[in-house]
Amino acid sequence: MSEPNNISWEDFLKVEFRAGTIIHAEPNAQARKPAYVLKVDLGELGVKTSSAQIADHYLAADLVGKRVLCVCNFPPKRVAGVRSEVLVTGVHDEAGRVMLAEFPLAAPNGGRLM
């Protein structure tokens, strides 16, 4: 019997984690909390949009060129007036502010996490 929080390898493979490069970032004026509208180049998947509450640690201009980890197989969702097509991942710091999950080397856009 598996532990309640354990998942199978097959469950993990259902989540489509892919590397992407932020190519555009601008403030989301419709968001209640400071957020950005991001355009992320995901290679063969194309350029996808995301709304992300990451303004505590990042300026919009500094986000362009960052290589990030995205979840690409959630259905699109309307977030603060934006059709968000991918989830840009990160972790919370001690104060609850999101820090992006980034690749320090040039991961290929659209490359799948395995």
Side-chain angles (χ1 to χ4, degrees), residues 6 11 15 20 24 26-27 34 39 45 52 59 62 67 82-85 90 97 102:
N6 289 350
D11 288 336
V15 181
H24 180 80
E26 64 183 32
K39 297 286 185 184
L45 297 178
L59 298 173
D62 295 337
R67 295 176 299 271
V82 173
R83 184 175 188 265
S84 190
E85 302 170 295
R97 301 169 300 195
E102 297 182 58

Side-chain angles (χ1 to χ4, degrees), residues 38-82:
L38 307 175
K39 297 286 185 184
V40 183
D41 182 349
L42 290 157
E44 65 189 33
L45 297 178
V47 174
K48 303 290 183 181
T49 302
S50 183
S51 179
Q53 292 180 347
I54 55 174
D56 290 326
H57 283 301
Y58 306 95
L59 298 173
D62 295 337
L63 288 166
V64 175
K66 287 198 177 292
R67 295 176 299 271
V68 294
L69 183 64
C70 301
V71 176
C72 296
N73 61 336
F74 283 131
K77 177 179 179 180
R78 184 131 324 259
V79 179
V82 173

Side-chain angles (χ1 to χ4, degrees), residues 20-38:
T21 302
I22 298 172
I23 59 171
H24 180 80
E26 64 183 32
N28 184 345
Q30 296 185 43
R32 284 178 285 184
K33 294 181 181 179
Y36 294 120
V37 177
L38 307 175

